[in-house]
């Protein structure tokens, strides 16, 4: 009788252990990341540089992880809408963000951000750097920055510049130029993305725009716009006859390098093993010759893979630079 009771006890114990192991194996917490679709949030409209980079990364992750990786555009308030969405997201690696200057400059432009840009996100890596072009509609027959300044000073009450949104790098480039060229009457016209800001220029609605070469250069090579200057440390091989703003005497643009960039971010508190997996995959993309060719062909610059520590230092340096530049341009927080 005692042996029978012991046998029954062992059966119950083994059965319970088996159930526990089955439940543990089926537990979502134990599932290998990723096992469901990943969303990459782009906080601007489709078609701009942020969107293009987001889609390149999404395609790479789709191939790498064998799960769908989709881009969701959440434009509004110069990136604040999309950034806030990701800041509130569950830190499980399934909601990521393509960020740039909006991550490092927004705290100096907005008084009541719904998130803390220094604490809300963890950088997975910086992806690329973007030189800027100053564009005008080709029908204006303006081919140099000096011609534009002369025209602006003759028409002080109607000069405008567009941007991809209040407070992002396209806006701040325009404000820096406005201050440096002493065009006090030039009015800023913000849009919800680069594609709209560029369209406003080539359609004649506004006079000029500073935007990334990745989105602006095709308008120049396609004969729709003239590039007057480059915001970069050197001329672009794609447009070798276009001088840098520094060459033209606008040294104010040298305060910050790079002027524009894009990076991949996760919500803070994302587990380190997930961050490591994403960072390793992103490094593979950055070292891929085909990706590098695509970036360079778009008049942009490839960035070497970085550690989390170096990426955080990059963000710290950018915040210092934008704080000074925003103050110098006399842009008041909203």
């Amino acid at each position: 009788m005692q042996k029978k009771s012991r046998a029954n006890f062992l059966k119950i114990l083994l059965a319970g252990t088996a159930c526990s192991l089955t439940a543990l194996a089926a537990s979502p917490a134990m599932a290998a990341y990723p096992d469901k679709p990943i969303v990459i949030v782009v906080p601007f409209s489709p078609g701009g540089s942020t969107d293009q980079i987001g889609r390149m990364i999404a395609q790479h992750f789709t191939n790498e992880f064998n799960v769908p990786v989709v881009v969701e555009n959440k434009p509004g308030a110069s990136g604040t809408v999309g950034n806030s969405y990701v800041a509130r997201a569950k830190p499980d690696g399934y909601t990521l963000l393509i960020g740039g200057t909006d991550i490092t400059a927004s705290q100096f432009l907005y008084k009541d951000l719904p998130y803390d840009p220094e604490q809300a996100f963890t950088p997975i890596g910086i992806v690329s750097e973007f030189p800027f072009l100053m564009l005008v509609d080709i029908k204006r027959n303006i081919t140099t920055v000096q011609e534009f300044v002369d025209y602006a000073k003759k028409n002080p009450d109607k000069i405008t510049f567009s941007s991809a949104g209040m407070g992002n790098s396209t806006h701040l480039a325009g404000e820096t130029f406005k201050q440096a060229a002493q065009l006090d009457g030039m009015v800023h016209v913000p849009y919800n993305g680069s594609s709209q800001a560029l369209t406003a220029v080539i359609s004649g609605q506004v006079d000029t725009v500073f935007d990334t070469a990745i989105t602006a250069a095709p308008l120049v090579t396609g004969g729709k716009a003239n590039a007057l200057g480059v915001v970069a440390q050197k001329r672009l091989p794609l447009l070798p006859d276009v001088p840098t703003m520094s060459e033209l005497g606008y040294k104010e643009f040298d305060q910050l390098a790079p002027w524009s960039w894009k990076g991949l971010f996760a919500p803070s508190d994302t587990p380190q093993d997930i961050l490591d997996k994403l960072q390793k995959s992103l490094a593979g993309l950055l070292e891929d010759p085909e990706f590098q060719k695509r970036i360079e062909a778009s008049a942009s610059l490839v960035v070497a893979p970085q550690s989390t520590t170096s990426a955080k230092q990059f963000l710290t340096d950018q915040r210092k630079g934008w704080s000074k530049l925003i103050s110098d341009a006399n842009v008041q927080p909203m």
Side-chain angles (χ1 to χ4, degrees):
M1 186 73 181
Q2 190 174 8
K3 289 182 179 180
K4 188 174 181 180
S5 297
R6 184 179 298 170
N8 287 338
F9 174 76
L10 289 172
K11 285 181 181 179
I12 293 170
L13 181 63
L14 290 170
T17 303
C19 289
S20 297
L21 290 172
T22 301
L24 189 62
S27 171
M30 296 299 290
Y33 172 86
D35 68 341
K36 63 180 182 180
I38 298 171
V39 174
I40 297 179
V41 173
V42 170
F44 298 101
S45 300
S49 58
T50 311
D51 183 68
Q52 291 185 45
I53 289 296
R55 294 181 189 281
M56 290 182 194
I57 295 174
Q59 184 60 57
H60 172 73
F61 281 172
T62 296
N63 297 337
E64 178 95 354
F65 297 136
N66 293 314
V67 297
V69 182
V70 297
V71 169
E72 284 191 10
N73 296 87
K74 294 185 178 293
S78 300
T80 301
V81 171
N83 294 348
S84 299
Y85 178 86
V86 177
R88 296 191 305 269
K90 185 177 180 180
D92 57 5
Y94 290 100
T95 305
L96 307 176
L97 173 72
I98 299 293
T101 302
D102 48 295
I103 295 291
T104 52
S106 57
Q107 66 197 82
F108 310 112
L109 294 162
Y110 296 94
K111 295 177 181 177
D112 298 307
L113 280 176
Y115 60 93
D116 183 342
E118 295 191 35
Q119 301 297 327
F121 311 108
T122 297
I124 297 167
I126 308 305
V127 180
S128 56
E129 297 178 4
F130 295 108
F132 266 32
L133 294 177
M134 180 182 178
L135 295 190
V136 295
D137 179 18
I138 198 166
K139 294 188 290 293
R140 291 185 184 273
N141 294 318
I142 293 175
T143 59
T144 69
V145 172
Q146 188 57 54
E147 288 177 3
F148 181 87
V149 171
D150 292 342
Y151 170 76
K153 289 186 174 180
K154 290 177 182 176
N155 302 274
D157 297 327
K158 63 177 186 177
I159 299 300
T160 55
F161 74 96
S162 61
S163 79
M166 184 75 71
N168 70 23
S169 52
T170 61
H171 169 211
L172 297 172
E175 293 289 355
T176 299
F177 175 71
K178 172 182 174 179
Q179 189 84 2
Q182 299 179 342
L183 301 178
D184 297 339
M186 191 161 75
V187 176
H188 173 222
V189 183
Y191 290 86
N192 271 335
S194 289
S195 57
Q196 296 175 34
L198 291 166
T199 298
V201 170
I202 62 175
S203 64
Q205 297 176 56
V206 298
D207 296 290
T208 189
V209 65
F210 284 83
D211 211 327
T212 56
I214 192 173
T215 49
L219 297 177
V220 180
T221 57
K224 293 184 178 180
N226 285 332
L228 308 186
V230 178
V231 181
Q233 294 176 305
K234 60 182 180 180
R235 295 191 184 198
L236 303 181
L238 184 67
L239 301 167
D241 296 330
V242 181
T244 68
M245 296 301 290
S246 182
E247 285 180 70
L248 297 172
Y250 295 94
K251 303 292 185 181
E252 292 81 359
F253 286 98
D254 296 338
Q255 295 180 63
L256 199 67
W259 187 269
S260 182
W261 52 274
K262 303 300 173 190
L264 182 66
F265 295 81
S268 289
D269 299 324
T270 299
Q272 189 60 49
D273 59 328
I274 292 176
L275 293 173
D276 290 343
K277 196 165 190 177
L278 290 166
Q279 192 173 62
K280 181 179 179 181
S281 180
L282 182 64
L285 175 64
L286 299 181
E287 293 173 331
D288 178 23
E290 288 303 314
F291 174 77
Q292 292 176 355
K293 287 179 183 177
R294 290 179 68 184
I295 292 296
E296 290 169 353
S298 65
S300 301
L301 303 174
V302 176
V303 176
Q306 294 179 308
S307 67
T308 301
T309 299
S310 61
K312 286 182 177 179
Q313 184 59 52
F314 173 84
L315 296 177
T316 297
D317 294 341
Q318 282 279 308
R319 287 189 176 100
K320 289 179 181 177
W322 283 117
S323 175
K324 183 178 186 306
L325 193 142
I326 289 167
S327 176
D328 290 348
N330 199 30
V331 178
Q332 300 300 314
M334 293 172 286

